[in-house]
Amino acid sequence: MIGTFEQMIKDMEHGVCDFTEDGKCIQCGACCSDLLPISENEYRRIKRYIKKHNIKEQKHIVPALLAEQPEFDLTCPFLNMNKKNEKCVIYDARPAICRFFVCNDPNGAKNHPELYGEERVLVSMRETFFGG
């Protein structure tokens, strides 16, 4: 659970941001990034899921400080912030990094050797699945 601002800063400095409640995910979306490592199999699975379920890009526009780029979005294009729960619109097809991520465990990925079984490439989910 989110504590004081000072505690959050300390946690970030030690690589831990705990947005859980009693160690369980609260589906807040704080971990949902546009840049994710995915495998070719995950890419194909997500692409099929998008087509089958007619998934649309979710936009999260944040004003930028630079005039040349008036807005940017570094949040996953599959995060629907309008929902209280089940915010991931591709939850059943989400990549392994999302399946195994726990925000209060800086060593979480090390506990899941299945993440290392396939070659993964860091991609922009927005660009990869929606072209920009």
Side-chain angles (χ1 to χ4, degrees):
M1 176 173 273
I2 298 174
T4 65
F5 184 71
E6 291 81 13
Q7 185 60 49
M8 286 175 54
I9 297 297
K10 285 181 186 174
D11 287 346
M12 285 188 230
E13 288 171 353
H14 293 94
V16 178
C17 296
D18 188 352
F19 297 106
T20 66
E21 273 185 23
D22 299 323
K24 301 225 184 318
C25 178
I26 60 170
Q27 299 182 26
C28 66
C31 63
C32 299
S33 173
D34 178 46
L35 299 174
L36 293 175
I38 64 170
S39 70
E40 186 64 33
N41 286 333
E42 289 170 326
Y43 168 80
R44 286 194 300 272
R45 185 177 67 242
I46 293 168
K47 197 77 165 163
R48 280 191 309 268
Y49 193 88
I50 290 170
K51 186 175 181 178
K52 180 180 179 183
H53 297 280
N54 196 28
I55 302 292
K56 302 293 183 217
E57 176 182 14
Q58 306 293 305
K59 297 197 180 210
H60 320 88
I61 304 303
V62 177
L65 297 176
L66 303 174
E68 307 90 57
Q69 187 176 353
E71 50 191 44
F72 65 95
D73 191 350
L74 298 177
T75 305
C76 181
F78 301 113
L79 176 66
N80 183 345
M81 291 301 292
N82 295 321
K83 297 175 80 177
K84 182 175 168 86
N85 294 313
E86 300 174 4
K87 292 180 178 185
C88 179
V89 297
I90 63 162
Y91 189 81
D92 292 333
R94 70 195 187 283
I97 194 70
C98 301
R99 291 175 189 275
F100 299 124
F101 182 82
V102 178
C103 63
N104 63 352
D105 183 0
N107 297 310
K110 293 177 184 174
N111 297 329
H112 295 281
E114 54 269 48
L115 286 172
Y116 303 101
E118 294 181 79
E119 182 178 320
R120 289 183 165 70
V121 177
L122 186 65
V123 301
S124 162
M125 298 294 277
R126 188 169 309 283
E127 186 176 308
T128 300
F129 294 103
F130 298 104

